[in-house]
Structures are given as C-alpha cells and as structure tokens.
Amino acid sequence: MGKIGQHVVRVMQAAGMRVVAFDPFFPAERASELKVELFADVDDVLKQADFLTFHTPLTDSTRNLLNAGRIAKMKKGARVVNCARGGIIDEAAMAEAVKSGHIAAAGFDVFSKEPMTEGPLFGVKDITLAPHLGASTEEAEERCGLQMAEQVIAYFDEGKIQNAVNVTFSPDASLRLYAELAASMGRIASYLV
C-alpha cells in the first residue's frame, strides 16, 4: 500500500472494483480514508481476490510469498500481476496453476533471474511476459541517483520528505538531531566499509 499500491487502488476503484489489501505496516485509518478493506493475513486477501497485484520489495518474508499452497487458496479463475520484484511469486507454481486453469491468467515484467531468457513461465498460454525496463538505462540510473540526493538534501535543508513510501506524516522537529546523527553514522560506516 505504498505510493504505487495506492495509485493502483484509485485506478481500480475508478473501474468500479472493491479493493482488499494486505500490508502489515499500513495504518488502518489511512486504509479507511482510501475505502480499502485491510486484512491482517495475506491468505484472507487471496481467498477474495479476482485480480491480485503485488507492490512490495523482495525480502526474506516476501520471497515466494505466492507459492503453490497459497495459489491453491485463491479463487478459481483469478488473475495475477507481478510488476514489483522477481522472486515474490514461485514461477514454477504459477506456470502450473495457469496450465491447470486454476489461475486464468498472469502477467510478469519482473523475474527471479534477470534478464529472463528461459524458465517455467515461457510458452505458457495466458501468461504474458514483458521486459522490466524502467530503470535499466544508464540515463535512468543516473537520474535515480540524482533524485535520491535531491531528496536527502531537501529533508536536511527544509525538513521535507519527498516521494516517501508508507509515510503519511512529517516527523517531529525534535527528531531532526537523531536523523542527523543517523546520517553521520551512515557516512562513517560507509567509509569504514
């Protein structure tokens, strides 16, 4: 339910969809404002979703988040889209679920191994594969680095947090010294490494 997830919510609601979500870090009050039904367990969302999208980083807790066991809990005929990170979905399990007809269709532009040149998703009818090119150019990488630097400067100069994910408030001014201390410690750690 970060920045991209919230955008998806608005688009789906505009299309007349009821939106359910799982995000253990998202405030219930904000979910209520967005008219999103927030569940405490991902399995509860899987049982209800006709269309399932992922908008989460790849971590130890999200790796293979959608595996064969969880796919079996999903509605027959559901559709799945992963444009977040490769590795969140067990690709072999998804390929089998689409082949069997349990999942109607799936779309991927991120893969467990990139660039993806072969794998269980290839050649499966009703699975759409696309390259994830958003930040693959030198120009995009450079621009991302510049934007990150501009955002850090804006925070320390003006106290502004730009493009934050899952942040719906500005930190108390009394925390500024702690943030500066953390930044200094980070610089020291980076020099040591």
Side-chain angles (χ1 to χ4, degrees), residues 87-183:
I88 292 172
I89 297 175
D90 179 332
E91 294 167 352
M94 181 56 64
E96 288 306 313
V98 172
K99 287 177 190 175
S100 74
H102 184 74
I103 299 298
F108 291 79
D109 80 341
V110 290
F111 308 96
S112 58
K113 292 181 183 174
E114 293 184 359
M116 177 64 79
T117 56
E118 61 183 10
L121 301 172
F122 276 75
V124 178
K125 185 179 183 298
D126 298 320
I127 292 182
T128 301
L129 307 176
H132 187 81
L133 297 176
S136 295
T137 65
E138 281 186 40
E139 294 85 357
E141 294 277 336
E142 182 178 334
R143 185 68 189 137
C144 286
L146 287 172
Q147 285 179 337
M148 287 172 35
E150 290 166 355
Q151 290 171 21
V152 169
I153 291 168
Y155 174 75
F156 286 109
D157 283 352
E158 305 165 35
K160 289 184 182 176
I161 299 177
Q162 301 171 349
N163 302 317
V165 176
N166 289 343
V167 175
T168 58
F169 64 91
S170 294
D172 188 328
S174 66
L175 299 177
R176 184 180 179 110
L177 292 176
Y178 293 109
E180 290 173 1
L181 175 61

Side-chain angles (χ1 to χ4, degrees), residues 16 34 48 53 61 65 72 76 97 104 117 160:
L34 292 171
Q48 295 194 36
T53 65
S61 63
L65 180 66
K76 183 171 174 39
T117 56
K160 289 184 182 176

Side-chain angles (χ1 to χ4, degrees), residues 11-24:
V11 172
M12 296 302 101
Q13 289 172 335
M17 292 183 176
R18 171 181 156 245
V19 179
V20 298
F22 168 76
D23 184 334

